[in-house]
Amino acid sequence: VPHAVPYLFLLGNHDFYSFSRAFLRKHFIPERQHLRQEGTPDLALYFSQLLCRSGTRRHEESFSLAAHQRGPRSFEQMERDEHAAKEHGGAVRMIFLDGYDVSTIGAFDAQRTAAAWTFLREKNPTVDTNWFEALTTDNTLRFVPYNGGLGREQKEWLRRELSDAERLSQRVIVMSHIPIFMPASRPKTVMWNAEEVLEILQGSHAVKAYIAGHDHTGGYCMDKAGIHHLTLPAPLETPLDVAELFGVLDIEEDYLSLHWHGPHTVGTAPQPKDNVSHALWPQKMVLRQAPLKPRKKEAVQAQAQAQAQAQAQAQAQAQTAPSESVLSESVRSLSENVSELEQAYQKVTIGEP
């Protein structure tokens, strides 16, 4: 849409029900992302996008797509914009993951699809007849055909993206259709290799939030590493009398704020007793902070050590040096001795015995 807010697509299982991977990549993934996918499969649907600041004063600052500009633009122009975004302090990197990289419905080719079915049947013996009959624990409910996982190439690409973001002091927000943190979703809507992906994200202090869908009811939880996991409610189950369902995410220096339009819980989610829609997430989601870099940490430690040594030396000097009262007493005593000597000298000079 010309002159409109730029948009990027995050593809999920309902897209793969209707279209092929090749069709979705051609029509919904920006061409420039195709050119950047060096070392990745030809049909990769995962990519990253930088956001940069606009505005001159703090209260006017907002984030916009670094590569967006009204009118057609060349790949070289987009690269220059992205380079400027990288050099700009406080840039945000959005990482879009393909949760159906390994799956039975959206895999790259027949070989991968067959491998996904083999994996799924090992985890779920009755998947061909009854999806949930053999799944009796929360940790096994995920092994059904409408979920998927990340393959080896995508995980390696994700590690490179996070390493690059850390090097450039960028904040990272990860998005995927499928949740990876069970407390923020229902067990049956979690990614197949969720723990593996979560470990990668928790290992990078650049990652601030993970935004997903898939679980139509929505959910929120912050994990032990301080990453905010938001599962957004699905418009698919919104009541007919609800006119809109969307959110606007404000990215501040030290917190995120999601402004939601529409009900916060939909579908089969538990409804509050007062029948009022309450937010599933905090009004301000404070961002986890990265530890001090080694050189900076050493400098801070050296400064603290120098201050401690100076303080210790000052205390030692105060203990060994004579106090003012002692000095005053010594001066008074010396003055009295001089006075007595002067009197004795006067007596001698006038002949007194």
Side-chain angles (χ1 to χ4, degrees):
V1 181
H3 307 292
V5 174
Y7 52 88
L8 297 170
F9 290 95
L10 184 64
L11 303 174
N13 54 311
H14 291 271
D15 302 304
F16 291 112
Y17 293 155
S18 304
F19 304 102
S20 69
R21 176 174 286 269
F23 180 90
L24 293 170
R25 178 172 170 82
K26 178 180 179 181
H27 294 282
F28 294 98
I29 302 301
E31 181 63 26
R32 65 181 300 267
Q33 302 297 352
H34 296 191
L35 301 177
R36 297 180 63 228
Q37 297 298 330
E38 298 180 3
T40 61
D42 292 338
L43 294 178
L45 297 177
Y46 48 89
F47 59 93
S48 67
Q49 175 66 59
L50 284 178
L51 307 182
C52 63
R53 291 189 183 280
S54 61
T56 55
R57 288 181 292 179
R58 181 174 178 82
H59 71 274
E60 293 176 344
E61 290 177 345
S62 61
F63 286 97
S64 60
L65 287 173
H68 173 71
Q69 181 178 335
R70 294 179 180 178
R73 310 175 59 239
S74 67
F75 177 73
E76 290 75 16
Q77 287 175 315
M78 294 178 181
E79 286 297 308
R80 285 197 295 270
D81 283 353
E82 187 163 285
H83 177 73
K86 286 183 178 180
E87 298 300 321
H88 196 295
V92 176
R93 182 177 300 221
M94 305 291 292
I95 294 181
F96 294 76
L97 298 180
D98 176 9
Y100 294 90
D101 183 6
V102 178
S103 68
T104 62
I105 59 175
F108 287 86
D109 50 39
Q111 184 178 0
R112 289 201 181 201
T113 302
W117 273 114
T118 299
F119 167 82
L120 198 56
R121 288 177 179 124
E122 291 176 354
K123 298 291 186 179
N124 185 353
T126 63
V127 67
D128 294 300
T129 57
N130 187 317
W131 284 1
F132 295 100
E133 182 179 352
L135 306 179
T136 58
T137 65
D138 286 349
N139 287 330
T140 61
L141 288 174
R142 73 186 72 176
F143 298 114
V144 289
Y146 58 68
N147 293 326
L150 269 58
R152 177 180 56 83
E153 298 94 342
Q154 186 173 183
K155 288 182 291 186
E156 292 176 354
W157 170 85
L158 176 59
R159 291 187 180 96
R160 293 195 299 270
E161 286 286 316
L162 296 180
S163 177
D164 193 40
E166 288 183 353
R167 180 178 60 85
L168 297 169
S169 299
Q170 296 171 349
R171 289 165 288 171
V172 172
I173 296 177
V174 182
M175 304 185 72
S176 175
H177 183 71
I178 312 178
I180 60 171
F181 193 50
M182 199 178 302
S185 176
R186 288 182 292 179
K188 65 180 183 179
T189 56
V190 176
M191 191 178 291
W192 287 350
N193 56 343
E195 289 78 11
E196 187 178 8
V197 178
L198 183 62
E199 183 178 1
I200 295 174
L201 301 186
Q202 290 179 339
S204 172
H205 287 276
V207 180
K208 310 303 180 184
Y210 182 97
I211 302 177
H214 200 41
D215 181 357
H216 293 185
T217 60
Y220 166 82
C221 191
M222 184 176 69
D223 66 27
K224 64 180 181 180
I227 299 175
H228 299 279
H229 294 261
L230 294 105
T231 304
L232 306 182
L236 181 64
E237 299 204 29
T238 304
L240 294 177
D241 58 347
V242 175
E244 56 188 20
L245 186 68
F246 68 94
V248 177
L249 183 68
D250 287 342
I251 307 173
E252 303 293 343
E253 292 294 336
D254 54 357
Y255 69 90
L256 302 175
S257 182
L258 178 60
H259 305 279
W260 193 251
H261 299 260
H264 289 84
T265 58
V266 298
T268 58
Q271 296 298 320
K273 293 181 179 179
D274 54 8
N275 202 29
V276 176
S277 178
H278 295 281
L280 295 174
W281 45 81
Q283 184 177 3
K284 288 187 177 181
M285 292 168 279
V286 179
L287 302 183
R288 64 194 294 222
Q289 300 299 316
L292 293 175
K293 295 182 178 180
R295 291 184 179 179
K296 186 174 181 180
K297 184 176 181 180
E298 292 174 0
V300 172
Q301 290 177 341
Q303 182 179 4
Q305 186 177 3
Q307 291 177 348
Q309 291 177 348
Q311 186 177 4
Q313 291 176 356
Q315 292 177 349
Q317 292 176 356
Q319 292 175 356
T320 57
S323 63
E324 291 185 5
S325 61
V326 173
L327 288 175
S328 300
E329 182 65 22
S330 299
V331 172
R332 186 182 63 78
S333 176
L334 181 61
S335 299
E336 291 177 353
N337 292 338
V338 171
S339 178
E340 291 177 357
L341 289 174
E342 288 178 347
Q343 292 178 3
Y345 174 77
Q346 290 176 0
K347 290 180 180 180
V348 171
T349 55
I350 62 179
E352 294 184 0

Short mmCIF file of all heavy atoms in Angstrom, two decimals, residues 181 198 200-204 207-210 220-229 288:
data_model
loop_
_atom_site.label_atom_id
_atom_site.label_comp_id
_atom_site.label_asym_id
_atom_site.label_seq_id
_atom_site.Cartn_x
_atom_site.Cartn_y
_atom_site.Cartn_z
N PHE A 181 7.62 -20.66 25.59
CA PHE A 181 7.66 -20.67 27.06
C PHE A 181 6.27 -21.07 27.55
O PHE A 181 5.31 -20.30 27.44
CB PHE A 181 8.06 -19.30 27.58
CG PHE A 181 8.42 -19.28 29.04
CD1 PHE A 181 9.32 -20.19 29.58
CD2 PHE A 181 7.87 -18.34 29.89
CE1 PHE A 181 9.66 -20.17 30.92
CE2 PHE A 181 8.20 -18.31 31.23
CZ PHE A 181 9.10 -19.23 31.75
N LEU A 198 14.74 -21.57 23.56
CA LEU A 198 14.75 -20.71 24.74
C LEU A 198 16.15 -20.58 25.31
O LEU A 198 16.56 -19.48 25.73
CB LEU A 198 13.80 -21.27 25.80
CG LEU A 198 13.63 -20.45 27.08
CD1 LEU A 198 13.04 -19.08 26.77
CD2 LEU A 198 12.74 -21.18 28.08
N ILE A 200 18.95 -20.68 23.69
CA ILE A 200 19.70 -19.78 22.81
C ILE A 200 19.37 -18.33 23.14
O ILE A 200 20.26 -17.48 23.26
CB ILE A 200 19.39 -20.07 21.33
CG1 ILE A 200 19.89 -21.47 20.95
CG2 ILE A 200 20.03 -19.02 20.43
CD1 ILE A 200 19.49 -21.89 19.54
N LEU A 201 18.09 -18.02 23.30
CA LEU A 201 17.67 -16.64 23.58
C LEU A 201 18.12 -16.19 24.95
O LEU A 201 18.59 -15.05 25.13
CB LEU A 201 16.15 -16.53 23.45
CG LEU A 201 15.54 -16.89 22.09
CD1 LEU A 201 14.05 -16.58 22.10
CD2 LEU A 201 16.24 -16.15 20.97
N GLN A 202 18.00 -17.05 25.96
CA GLN A 202 18.41 -16.67 27.31
C GLN A 202 19.92 -16.47 27.41
O GLN A 202 20.39 -15.77 28.30
CB GLN A 202 17.96 -17.74 28.31
CG GLN A 202 16.46 -17.77 28.52
CD GLN A 202 16.03 -18.85 29.49
OE1 GLN A 202 16.74 -19.82 29.72
NE2 GLN A 202 14.85 -18.71 30.06
N GLY A 203 20.67 -17.06 26.49
CA GLY A 203 22.12 -16.89 26.49
C GLY A 203 22.59 -15.57 25.94
O GLY A 203 23.78 -15.26 25.99
N SER A 204 21.68 -14.77 25.40
CA SER A 204 22.03 -13.45 24.86
C SER A 204 21.31 -12.37 25.64
O SER A 204 20.08 -12.31 25.67
CB SER A 204 21.63 -13.36 23.38
OG SER A 204 21.80 -12.04 22.90
N VAL A 207 18.45 -10.02 24.00
CA VAL A 207 17.04 -10.38 23.82
C VAL A 207 16.21 -9.83 24.98
O VAL A 207 16.48 -10.11 26.14
CB VAL A 207 16.88 -11.91 23.74
CG1 VAL A 207 15.39 -12.27 23.55
CG2 VAL A 207 17.70 -12.47 22.59
N LYS A 208 15.19 -9.06 24.64
CA LYS A 208 14.33 -8.44 25.65
C LYS A 208 12.93 -9.04 25.71
O LYS A 208 12.31 -9.06 26.78
CB LYS A 208 14.21 -6.93 25.38
CG LYS A 208 15.54 -6.23 25.18
CD LYS A 208 16.48 -6.40 26.36
CE LYS A 208 17.79 -5.67 26.12
NZ LYS A 208 18.76 -5.90 27.23
N ALA A 209 12.42 -9.51 24.58
CA ALA A 209 11.05 -10.02 24.55
C ALA A 209 10.88 -11.02 23.43
O ALA A 209 11.63 -11.02 22.44
CB ALA A 209 10.05 -8.87 24.39
N TYR A 210 9.89 -11.90 23.61
CA TYR A 210 9.51 -12.89 22.61
C TYR A 210 8.00 -12.79 22.43
O TYR A 210 7.24 -12.98 23.39
CB TYR A 210 9.91 -14.29 23.07
CG TYR A 210 9.61 -15.40 22.09
CD1 TYR A 210 10.61 -15.88 21.24
CD2 TYR A 210 8.36 -15.99 22.01
CE1 TYR A 210 10.37 -16.91 20.35
CE2 TYR A 210 8.09 -17.01 21.11
CZ TYR A 210 9.11 -17.47 20.29
OH TYR A 210 8.85 -18.49 19.39
N TYR A 220 0.87 -14.36 29.07
CA TYR A 220 2.09 -13.58 29.36
C TYR A 220 2.83 -14.21 30.53
O TYR A 220 2.22 -14.71 31.48
CB TYR A 220 1.77 -12.12 29.71
CG TYR A 220 2.97 -11.41 30.34
CD1 TYR A 220 3.97 -10.89 29.54
CD2 TYR A 220 3.11 -11.33 31.73
CE1 TYR A 220 5.08 -10.28 30.10
CE2 TYR A 220 4.21 -10.73 32.30
CZ TYR A 220 5.21 -10.20 31.49
OH TYR A 220 6.31 -9.62 32.04
N CYS A 221 4.18 -14.17 30.46
CA CYS A 221 5.02 -14.53 31.60
C CYS A 221 6.44 -14.06 31.32
O CYS A 221 6.88 -14.01 30.16
CB CYS A 221 5.00 -16.05 31.84
SG CYS A 221 5.76 -16.52 33.42
N MET A 222 7.17 -13.71 32.37
CA MET A 222 8.58 -13.36 32.25
C MET A 222 9.41 -14.55 32.74
O MET A 222 9.16 -15.07 33.83
CB MET A 222 8.92 -12.11 33.05
CG MET A 222 10.37 -11.65 32.87
SD MET A 222 10.73 -10.10 33.75
CE MET A 222 10.64 -10.65 35.47
N ASP A 223 10.39 -14.98 31.97
CA ASP A 223 11.17 -16.15 32.37
C ASP A 223 12.28 -15.76 33.34
O ASP A 223 12.46 -14.59 33.69
CB ASP A 223 11.72 -16.89 31.14
CG ASP A 223 12.75 -16.07 30.35
OD1 ASP A 223 13.42 -15.21 30.95
OD2 ASP A 223 12.89 -16.31 29.14
N LYS A 224 13.07 -16.75 33.77
CA LYS A 224 14.09 -16.52 34.80
C LYS A 224 15.20 -15.60 34.34
O LYS A 224 15.88 -14.98 35.16
CB LYS A 224 14.68 -17.86 35.22
CG LYS A 224 15.43 -18.59 34.10
CD LYS A 224 16.00 -19.91 34.57
CE LYS A 224 16.77 -20.61 33.45
NZ LYS A 224 17.34 -21.91 33.90
N ALA A 225 15.39 -15.48 33.02
CA ALA A 225 16.43 -14.61 32.49
C ALA A 225 15.95 -13.17 32.32
O ALA A 225 16.73 -12.30 31.99
CB ALA A 225 16.93 -15.15 31.15
N GLY A 226 14.66 -12.93 32.53
CA GLY A 226 14.11 -11.58 32.39
C GLY A 226 13.53 -11.29 31.02
O GLY A 226 13.23 -10.13 30.71
N ILE A 227 13.35 -12.32 30.18
CA ILE A 227 12.75 -12.14 28.87
C ILE A 227 11.22 -12.15 29.01
O ILE A 227 10.67 -13.05 29.64
CB ILE A 227 13.19 -13.24 27.89
CG1 ILE A 227 14.71 -13.20 27.70
CG2 ILE A 227 12.49 -13.08 26.55
CD1 ILE A 227 15.25 -14.33 26.84
N HIS A 228 10.56 -11.16 28.42
CA HIS A 228 9.11 -11.09 28.45
C HIS A 228 8.53 -11.93 27.31
O HIS A 228 8.88 -11.73 26.15
CB HIS A 228 8.63 -9.64 28.32
CG HIS A 228 9.11 -8.76 29.42
ND1 HIS A 228 8.49 -8.70 30.65
CD2 HIS A 228 10.17 -7.90 29.49
CE1 HIS A 228 9.13 -7.84 31.43
NE2 HIS A 228 10.15 -7.35 30.75
N HIS A 229 7.64 -12.86 27.66
CA HIS A 229 7.00 -13.70 26.66
C HIS A 229 5.53 -13.28 26.54
O HIS A 229 4.76 -13.43 27.50
CB HIS A 229 7.10 -15.17 27.05
CG HIS A 229 8.49 -15.70 27.04
ND1 HIS A 229 9.02 -16.42 25.99
CD2 HIS A 229 9.49 -15.59 27.96
CE1 HIS A 229 10.27 -16.76 26.26
NE2 HIS A 229 10.58 -16.26 27.43
N ARG A 288 15.51 -6.40 30.73
CA ARG A 288 16.70 -6.96 31.38
C ARG A 288 17.93 -6.18 30.91
O ARG A 288 18.00 -5.71 29.79
CB ARG A 288 16.85 -8.44 31.02
CG ARG A 288 17.09 -8.66 29.54
CD ARG A 288 16.90 -10.09 29.10
NE ARG A 288 17.85 -11.02 29.62
CZ ARG A 288 18.41 -11.99 28.91
NH1 ARG A 288 18.11 -12.12 27.63
NH2 ARG A 288 19.25 -12.84 29.45
#
